[in-house]
Amino acid sequence: MEENKVESEEEFESAESDSEGKVLEEQSNNKLINNKQTMNTDQASDTNTSQSDAKQTHTEEAHTDTTQTHTEPAMSNAEPTDTDTSTNQSHTGTSQSDPGTNQSHAGTNQSHTGTSQSDPGTNQSNTGTSQSDPGTNQSNTGTNQSDTGTSQSGTSSWSWGWGSITSTLSSAVTKATEYTSSVINKGGEEEEEVPTPQEMRRESTTDEEREDQSIGGIFTGLATAVQSTGASLLSGGLDALEVIGRKTVDIISEGDPGLRKKRALLTGDTKTLSQLLKEAKETNNDNNNDDNNQENTSSLINYSQLIEQHGGLVHLEALEMLSGDCTSKLESIESESVNDEVQSLCQYFNIEEEEEEDPGDGKEFTNISSLTIDRVKADQLIKCHEDINIQAKEEVDKDIEVLYVESMNGMARLCSSSLQLFKKTSEILLIPSDGESIDVKDVAMKLKKITVIISNEFETIASLYAEKINEKSSEDKGQEYITSLYLEASSSSSYVQSAHKLLLPVLQHRLTITINNNNN
Amino acid sequence: MSWRNSSLTDVDHYLYQFRLIIIGESTVGKSCLLRRFTQGRWIEHNDPTVGVDFHTKMVQVDGHNLKLQLWDTAGQERFRAITRSYFRNAVGALLVFDISDQNSFAKVSGWMEDVRQSSKPHEPVFLLVGNKADLDRQRQVLRVDAERLANSFKIDYIETSSRTGQNVEEIFNVLARRIFEAIQDGTVVVGNGWDGVKKGDEIPKELSSRVNLQQKKISDTKDNGGGCCK
């Protein structure tokens, strides 16, 4: 089991990063499977066949990375279990008998909603659901996923800024896996102690009410880790799985009281970017508080606090409000053709890695003023950029501490100005136009360019200052500053890119207005 | 508080941050009122506000620092769809009209209702402001009428002038105090994912027992871990 532990930790991490890029692809796979299942559901005798199909497909497609070492036992275990299941199902009809079915449901959710608004209830509600319509349930899940497609990509991009948190969580998951193993072993011996599914369902419903929404996240996250051991779980039954799920949450939380926050950071959708920023600030304050007790004062700047001081946070909050309202308005679109048009805007909101790394020559930044929409001026942003560059190139002897503060302030200012620009753009886009038309696709294209230019700029600033600090001091303190500088540069890029994604619903809403105006 | 990295950044210490919105018809002087308050002088302001602008200022109530985050909203009708998005999450609202403009006074109830609807389930603390008090000669709204309206809503009424500075500090101080009292008597609840009131890092003394549960939980776990919050 020692080996398993290590593997599953790695798997968890790779699953996290892999699932991001594949979300859309996987969703479409999932949809196909769901459709297939829905069709089969009518014929009761076929239900099990289709479910085991689905499960296998998922194991092969969705978890290519995660199951490498475990595929063999998983498959061989899964098949006989399914056969058992089908027998049970037709005779008894109790949910004790369908671990396989539910396991495949769980699998579906894990792989596809890694960072998304996975409904915490989805797994659980399937638990007690009658066996006659698993396909229907699944296809519902599928629909939800495709609806939240945009927000998935929205949250996935910045998660890399929280590297340390990810690793903390994965170590927590290692604990979880450890515990999982022991429960699995127990599972066989103490079957009579496992509560009935009905009880379980009742309990988990209360749990849901009690816990905040982010609890769904840990189920999703944990489920990925549990995936490797999932094969042997099939025989242990779904009930055991649920017990494990909830126990592991407790255990992890005991060991790491701050976990709930970190978990929320990873799942993203339950919290908005601005909430995360606020929490990051608080956490940092808490840490400083702890440092005080240990008389080990950190000299690093609380960057989220700087963003707040420069007004970035409040602009972001306003942008989130607008974006959220637009999202809810979009839900009422009925026309398919309008919906297709609206969806087509998504292509302008994926920023590829290579675009990010495109080296900027500095002059590029001033081009932003030609890329903004009418009535939105980039003057402040460009001024801010100029100021930073002038300051950075000053031939004055500065302490590394001064350089550090200067660079961090500069980045926070630039980041805040960018957020302000995006907020203002949203506002202008949402003013009802008097016959004046806005080429939404053109705006989308330009906004993407702006985002890439700004994102690149943070790294340029960080490099500029890192070099200066490095010249001055190669001691630990200097290195600490440089690390912090690069970290916050990447955080800044993430903030700006996440804010950019908030503009998608705004543009989409604007597009529907334009279409409606043209139709009338 | 010496432990904080004060050498690197100047940190605002406050007990609470209140999010306040300034609402009312276009041209009643909302932006000028805010500029007078935050910058201490009369600034001619011709461009209508687009969407929302932000200002912050610290005020003191009972020796506590309270940070006011002021959302200066556009009064023009065409921005209404946007500004309505901003109404929720405000703990207080300055309801501004122009004493020399009867129409702006007539619209006050509508503005109030709009904010109330948008901020449900929270109920913001309102204050009725009759601005441009320096234009007393062109007055169209009698003080008694404004007071009667304010009474019917059970809120305060204060007349101000951004040009002379009359009562400008006053309205923000009164509103901040009302909200602070509402927190103390439990009418306004802090936290729960609501952004109207945000807890700052100034440690409350007499309020320590009222700090919301979530905050308490965090500090509890920290105590268990051997930490100590003063």
Side-chain angles (χ1 to χ4, degrees):
Chain A
M1 274 306 168
E2 195 60 33
E3 244 181 68
N4 271 354
K5 245 167 50 186
V6 178
E7 279 164 6
S8 55
E9 180 179 340
E10 287 166 5
E11 284 159 18
F12 179 68
E13 281 173 340
S14 68
E16 276 287 312
S17 55
D18 282 333
S19 66
E20 288 169 12
K22 294 182 183 167
V23 165
L24 285 174
E25 192 190 328
E26 286 175 6
Q27 271 176 3
S28 56
N29 286 339
N30 191 26
K31 261 188 168 171
L32 287 174
I33 294 156
N34 287 333
N35 288 342
K36 189 174 156 196
Q37 280 204 320
T38 320
M39 276 157 53
N40 283 338
T41 316
D42 298 335
Q43 301 151 311
S45 57
D46 285 350
T47 314
N48 274 297
T49 329
S50 71
Q51 278 159 4
S52 65
D53 276 358
K55 176 160 59 57
Q56 287 178 14
T57 322
H58 281 296
T59 322
E60 284 162 10
E61 292 180 9
H63 297 290
T64 355
D65 289 295
T66 59
T67 45
Q68 271 172 2
T69 45
H70 297 281
T71 310
E72 296 283 86
M75 298 307 284
S76 57
N77 267 349
E79 281 169 286
T81 315
D82 258 27
T83 326
D84 291 349
T85 309
S86 68
T87 329
N88 277 336
Q89 233 177 359
S90 53
H91 290 300
T92 61
T94 63
S95 46
Q96 196 26 329
S97 62
D98 62 354
T101 315
N102 282 289
Q103 179 63 21
S104 76
H105 283 225
T108 315
N109 286 325
Q110 292 151 18
S111 56
H112 296 284
T113 57
T115 55
S116 82
Q117 281 176 345
S118 67
D119 178 1
T122 316
N123 280 331
Q124 289 156 5
S125 65
N126 279 340
T127 316
T129 319
S130 71
Q131 288 149 359
S132 55
D133 63 352
T136 322
N137 271 329
Q138 266 204 338
S139 61
N140 282 343
T141 317
T143 321
N144 282 338
Q145 284 163 359
S146 59
D147 282 343
T148 56
T150 39
S151 58
Q152 281 170 352
S153 48
T155 50
S156 57
S157 65
W158 49 265
S159 61
W160 53 276
W162 307 93
S164 61
I165 290 154
T166 319
S167 63
T168 318
L169 184 57
S170 28
S171 72
V173 166
T174 317
K175 278 193 218 163
T177 324
E178 198 174 357
Y179 186 74
T180 311
S181 318
S182 71
V183 174
I184 295 160
N185 292 338
K186 277 186 189 171
E189 300 153 20
E190 306 175 343
E191 254 179 22
E192 60 281 353
E193 282 182 24
V194 175
T196 69
Q198 285 77 12
E199 279 169 11
M200 291 301 307
R201 190 188 180 192
R202 237 175 287 130
E203 276 179 45
S204 55
T205 320
T206 3
D207 266 7
E208 246 175 83
E209 287 159 4
R210 198 153 25 87
E211 300 288 351
D212 62 300
Q213 262 207 320
S214 63
I215 195 82
I218 196 63
F219 274 112
T220 345
L222 275 175
T224 316
V226 170
Q227 186 65 29
S228 57
T229 39
S232 48
L233 268 176
L234 289 178
S235 53
L238 171 74
D239 305 339
L241 183 66
E242 282 209 300
V243 175
I244 295 159
R246 282 185 302 116
K247 288 265 166 78
T248 37
V249 170
D250 293 344
I251 295 223
I252 295 169
S253 308
E254 269 170 38
D256 186 355
L259 183 76
R260 269 165 220 281
K261 271 188 187 175
K262 291 166 197 153
R263 193 196 303 154
L265 284 177
L266 284 172
T267 54
D269 288 272
T270 49
K271 306 244 170 169
T272 60
L273 179 61
S274 63
Q275 281 173 309
L276 297 177
L277 263 169
K278 281 181 260 176
E279 286 184 5
K281 182 188 146 193
E282 280 164 22
T283 313
N284 206 320
N285 284 344
D286 289 349
N287 289 343
N288 280 349
N289 206 351
D290 290 344
D291 286 344
N292 177 48
N293 298 325
Q294 294 155 20
E295 295 194 355
N296 174 26
T297 311
S298 166
S299 57
L300 295 180
I301 289 176
N302 182 341
Y303 190 66
S304 20
Q305 196 156 32
L306 272 189
I307 298 268
E308 184 180 339
Q309 281 172 348
H310 286 282
L313 181 62
V314 72
H315 285 113
L316 179 64
E317 285 177 305
L319 178 58
E320 280 170 354
M321 288 178 174
L322 289 178
S323 179
D325 283 1
C326 289
T327 307
S328 46
K329 281 173 195 156
L330 287 170
E331 278 163 15
S332 57
I333 299 177
E334 278 163 8
S335 155
E336 206 160 293
S337 63
V338 175
N339 202 34
D340 287 347
E341 286 261 359
V342 162
Q343 291 305 322
S344 73
L345 285 178
C346 297
Q347 59 179 301
Y348 303 105
F349 285 81
N350 288 322
I351 291 174
E352 305 292 334
E353 284 290 321
E354 57 266 32
E355 286 178 271
E356 258 184 76
E357 283 160 18
D358 210 21
D361 57 0
K363 280 177 192 158
E364 207 186 11
F365 203 90
T366 47
N367 289 345
I368 289 180
S369 56
S370 64
L371 294 171
T372 55
I373 58 171
D374 285 351
R375 288 193 280 171
V376 174
K377 290 202 166 63
D379 299 2
Q380 196 185 335
L381 187 69
I382 289 165
K383 173 83 169 43
C384 175
H385 175 253
E386 280 168 5
D387 288 351
I388 294 167
N389 275 287
I390 291 168
Q391 204 170 33
K393 285 163 188 158
E394 271 173 348
E395 300 286 333
V396 184
D397 195 36
K398 291 173 186 166
D399 280 350
I400 55 165
E401 194 166 87
V402 173
L403 288 169
Y404 174 59
V405 174
E406 208 175 270
S407 56
M408 294 287 266
N409 260 315
M411 288 199 303
R413 218 181 119 199
L414 193 70
C415 186
S416 302
S417 290
S418 313
L419 298 174
Q420 180 175 10
L421 182 86
F422 285 158
K423 189 218 74 178
K424 205 42 109 189
T425 304
S426 297
E427 286 176 340
I428 300 286
L429 285 170
L430 291 174
I431 298 171
S433 57
D434 324 304
E436 161 204 15
S437 72
I438 290 182
D439 183 348
V440 175
K441 281 182 186 158
D442 182 55
V443 174
M445 223 140 60
K446 287 174 172 168
L447 281 171
K448 185 177 175 176
K449 279 187 193 158
I450 294 177
T451 308
V452 172
I453 294 173
I454 298 173
S455 298
N456 290 337
E457 198 53 33
F458 291 111
E459 202 174 317
T460 311
I461 297 172
S463 304
L464 207 61
Y465 274 96
E467 203 178 311
K468 287 193 147 203
I469 294 174
N470 212 16
E471 277 170 19
K472 283 246 150 206
S473 155
S474 56
E475 286 162 26
D476 284 354
K477 202 172 184 188
Q479 294 312 307
E480 198 185 4
Y481 286 158
I482 290 172
T483 311
S484 163
L485 195 53
Y486 275 113
L487 175 72
E488 302 307 356
S490 77
S491 307
S492 304
S493 299
S494 303
Y495 297 154
V496 170
Q497 289 180 20
S498 304
H500 170 240
K501 291 205 165 69
L502 290 170
L503 282 155
L504 174 60
V506 176
L507 278 174
Q508 287 177 325
H509 179 59
R510 173 73 204 201
L511 183 62
T512 58
I513 294 173
T514 313
I515 294 171
N516 287 340
N517 284 349
N518 291 344
N519 289 348
N520 290 339
Chain B
M1 298 269 175
S2 58
W3 47 267
R4 214 172 293 277
N5 42 34
S6 50
S7 62
L8 291 179
T9 48
D10 292 324
V11 181
D12 299 333
H13 296 291
Y14 52 85
L15 181 56
Y16 294 116
Q17 175 185 280
F18 296 155
R19 179 172 298 174
L20 309 180
I21 46 170
I22 323 298
I23 49 167
E25 287 297 288
S26 181
T27 72
V28 297
K30 299 182 291 296
S31 300
C32 289
L33 206 52
L34 276 179
R35 279 157 199 247
R36 165 63 88 169
F37 177 57
T38 54
Q39 295 170 39
R41 59 202 172 97
W42 161 249
I43 298 163
E44 195 84 43
H45 179 76
N46 296 316
D47 302 330
T49 307
V50 173
V52 66
D53 287 334
F54 305 112
H55 303 266
T56 53
K57 191 169 174 177
M58 206 77 88
V59 295
Q60 263 94 31
V61 171
D62 293 347
H64 296 291
N65 278 336
L66 301 174
K67 187 178 178 183
L68 305 185
Q69 186 185 75
L70 305 153
W71 290 47
D72 180 17
T73 65
Q76 289 183 355
E77 180 58 37
R78 62 200 190 109
F79 295 113
R80 195 64 69 89
I82 304 164
T83 48
R84 205 170 273 138
S85 297
Y86 297 140
F87 288 169
R88 76 188 118 96
N89 279 347
V91 68
L94 287 172
L95 211 49
V96 188
F97 70 91
D98 172 358
I99 60 148
S100 66
D101 176 8
Q102 178 63 39
N103 176 54
S104 71
F105 180 64
K107 296 280 176 63
V108 159
S109 302
W111 280 101
M112 190 173 183
E113 191 48 34
D114 218 350
V115 172
R116 278 197 168 143
Q117 287 300 326
S118 308
S119 26
K120 277 179 180 174
H122 299 277
E123 173 80 1
V125 179
F126 289 91
L127 181 79
L128 185 61
V129 178
N131 194 30
K132 306 195 187 175
D134 52 295
L135 301 180
D136 199 39
R137 287 179 167 193
Q138 296 142 53
R139 181 185 280 274
Q140 290 184 5
V141 183
L142 293 178
R143 183 186 272 270
V144 281
D145 290 337
E147 279 171 350
R148 194 175 300 131
L149 184 71
N151 276 337
S152 73
F153 294 137
K154 299 189 175 69
I155 62 176
D156 294 304
Y157 172 65
I158 297 173
E159 292 194 346
T160 55
S161 165
S162 314
R163 200 179 282 270
T164 66
Q166 174 196 336
N167 281 342
V168 173
E169 298 268 334
E170 182 81 1
I171 51 170
F172 293 96
N173 287 328
V174 168
L175 189 57
R177 177 172 289 281
R178 292 281 172 274
I179 297 165
F180 188 65
E181 286 166 357
I183 292 174
Q184 283 178 306
D185 68 24
T187 329
V188 167
V189 182
V190 183
N192 294 336
W194 180 57
D195 289 319
V197 181
K198 214 175 76 179
K199 189 82 187 57
D201 52 10
E202 182 189 312
I203 310 296
K205 291 169 202 135
E206 72 277 22
L207 276 178
S208 54
S209 61
R210 291 178 198 271
V211 176
N212 75 68
L213 276 174
Q214 212 180 349
Q215 290 285 339
K216 198 166 177 296
K217 238 186 256 168
I218 292 166
S219 56
D220 280 349
T221 45
K222 211 187 288 163
D223 285 347
N224 292 340
C228 168
C229 308
K230 275 167 265 172

